[in-house]
Amino acid sequence: MKFFQVKSVEETFDLISEHVEPIAESITIPLFEALHFVLAEDIYAYENVPDFRRSTVDGYAVKAKDTFGSSESLPGFLTLAGEVQMGQVPPQTLQAGEAMYVPTGGMLPEGSDAVVMIEHCEDMAGLVNVFKQIAPGENVISIGEDIRQGALLLEKGTKLRSQELGALASQGITAVSVIRKPVIGYLSSGDEIVPIETEKLAPGEIRDMNGVTIGALVTEWGYTFKYGGIVKDNREKFEQRAKELLAETDCLIVSGGSSVGTKDYSVEVIQSLGKPGVFVHGVSIKPGKPTILSLAGNKPVIGLPGHPASAVIIFHLFGKAILEYLHGARTKEKQLTFAKVTKNIPSSPGRTDYVRVRLYEENDEWYAEPIIGKSGLISTLVQSDGMIEIAARLEGIQKGELVPVRIFR
């Protein structure tokens, strides 16, 4: 196999979608525990929502034709026929020339077809003055207008947010079949990497920052993280520990050291974990060119650069996409905003650049201030709120341009 045939960012995403398949195992869990899980099956509506006609405002249920011609200068006059209590059926059918008070969300009486907002009426001791004409259906939600019985409510592969849980609750659904959340293993490699609890660093040593930052991202995105520790630059021990951790997880992340030998070990070890093997070794991107993506059986393996900023950016880009495919999510999440760049940012054509930025608001506009620094500087990540992409076809971004920003937090 030929390594380091560098791929573009677009080719890398295409290869991820081609290679990574969702976990097949599904579980049934209570609705209250289903946040951020992915549906394992299509769900159809059992009931109409609402199953009765209801008002969207506080006002008076009327026959719309009885309000035609009403205005501030020439109000209409309707007889007050009572009021609707929340959660109860209206006391009677509405007749021509009558109005009935109904609160927001209340059931409309039979015979009515619209609601006049209370602001456009005046109750004069049993006589309702109407100062505005309305159309049939105005301020009314019809039966099944929100959710229609028998319609597809949520598709398989939908990642459940609070609003999807609410839609399921509206149907009386108390438990759902979801895809099990993936368990993500992480392994740091390199003679220079030491545990974070190390009190005094020897010359050349670095605490395992990547294990913490990548683990936090995995947890933040709703997956289960399993820290596999640190292995030194020894091919046999590296391969043995990687195989052990891969067997215990659904996806393995390896963060390599900075030496050429370590990079070679990473590729060789990742390739040895199983077929079909490495499908990306090198991406035309800055930072993060020496990225490795592989598949061992049906389990993705991600080889991240050792530099902290490079590792985080690559994991935001490709790692999140891989985990979402692995979890069976039908739509991929991108937390984006738009902001004006505060200075010119040069770039080399033919390579996609990702630049860390700090976001701030001034005069009701958002600005993105580039945080310039080498890929090994964790401080640049701490200062950053997100990153902007400079596409491979561009030579840079000009000050004042409105650009999309991928949010870190």
Side-chain angles (χ1 to χ4, degrees), residues 55 57-62 102 108 113-117 134 138-140:
S55 174
V57 298
D58 289 335
Y60 292 88
V62 299
V102 57
L108 266 65
D113 61 2
V115 178
V116 186
M117 293 177 66
I134 58 173
E138 193 166 339
N139 300 322
V140 173

Side-chain angles (χ1 to χ4, degrees), residues 87-371:
Q88 296 185 15
V89 176
Q92 64 198 61
T93 299
L94 197 72
Q95 305 298 324
E98 292 182 339
M100 186 178 295
Y101 175 77
V102 57
T104 301
M107 180 184 292
L108 266 65
E110 290 297 323
S112 65
D113 61 2
V115 178
V116 186
M117 293 177 66
I118 197 168
E119 294 91 324
H120 301 139
C121 300
E122 184 179 15
D123 184 355
M124 300 289 289
L127 191 66
V128 179
N129 295 348
V130 179
F131 300 105
K132 181 182 178 181
Q133 68 176 18
I134 58 173
E138 193 166 339
N139 300 322
V140 173
I141 296 179
S142 301
I143 294 173
E145 185 176 332
D146 193 357
I147 298 173
R148 179 69 62 180
Q149 184 180 20
L152 179 63
L153 180 62
L154 295 173
E155 290 184 72
K156 175 182 178 180
T158 298
K159 193 166 187 177
L160 296 173
R161 303 168 297 173
S162 58
Q163 49 266 56
E164 282 82 21
L165 296 181
L168 293 169
S170 76
Q171 298 296 299
I173 294 173
T174 59
V176 287
S177 177
V178 296
I179 298 174
R180 174 180 61 80
K181 285 187 178 181
V183 178
I184 312 303
Y186 175 88
L187 190 62
S188 279
S189 68
D191 289 338
E192 76 280 16
I193 308 299
V194 297
I196 62 172
E197 61 268 22
T198 303
E199 292 187 8
K200 186 172 179 59
L201 296 177
E205 289 184 338
I206 303 170
R207 293 186 182 90
D208 189 13
M209 294 181 289
N210 286 357
V212 175
T213 53
I214 300 303
L217 284 173
V218 170
T219 304
E220 180 182 328
W221 296 338
Y223 307 109
T224 303
F225 182 70
K226 187 178 181 67
Y227 180 63
I230 303 166
V231 292
K232 299 302 181 181
D233 289 338
N234 177 287
R235 163 66 192 269
E236 290 72 25
K237 291 182 179 179
F238 188 2
E239 183 174 328
Q240 178 184 353
R241 185 65 188 117
K243 287 183 176 179
E244 291 172 351
L245 192 57
L246 183 63
E248 300 169 359
T249 58
D250 301 296
C251 171
L252 176 63
I253 302 164
V254 176
S255 178
S258 59
S259 71
V260 174
T262 300
K263 290 300 180 186
D264 288 344
Y265 282 153
S266 295
V267 176
E268 293 171 5
V269 168
I270 289 173
Q271 180 68 9
S272 73
L273 296 177
K275 295 182 178 180
V278 174
F279 59 88
V280 171
H281 181 207
V283 182
S284 181
I285 187 175
K286 181 183 179 181
K289 181 179 179 181
T291 296
I292 305 166
L293 303 179
S294 182
L295 204 64
N298 60 349
K299 295 183 178 182
V301 182
I302 305 170
L304 294 176
H307 289 312
S310 299
V312 168
I313 286 176
I314 291 300
F315 198 58
H316 264 280
L317 283 175
F318 305 128
K320 188 171 187 181
I322 287 172
L323 299 191
E324 286 174 335
Y325 277 112
L326 187 63
H327 199 197
R330 180 175 51 82
T331 55
K332 307 297 174 275
E333 293 182 359
K334 287 186 178 180
Q335 291 181 293
L336 296 177
T337 190
F338 287 84
K340 289 183 177 180
V341 178
T342 61
K343 62 180 69 174
N344 295 337
I345 309 175
S347 178
S348 299
R351 178 190 69 197
T352 304
D353 281 2
Y354 286 87
V355 179
R356 285 141 278 173
V357 296
R358 180 180 71 90
L359 292 171
Y360 66 91
E361 187 179 13
E362 189 174 281
N363 298 325
D364 297 325
E365 287 192 297
W366 281 99
Y367 292 89
E369 177 187 0
I371 303 296

Side-chain angles (χ1 to χ4, degrees), residues 68-89:
F68 292 171
S70 299
S71 66
E72 290 283 349
S73 58
L74 190 64
F77 301 98
L78 300 174
T79 301
L80 182 61
E83 66 177 277
V84 177
Q85 301 294 326
M86 281 297 295
Q88 296 185 15
V89 176

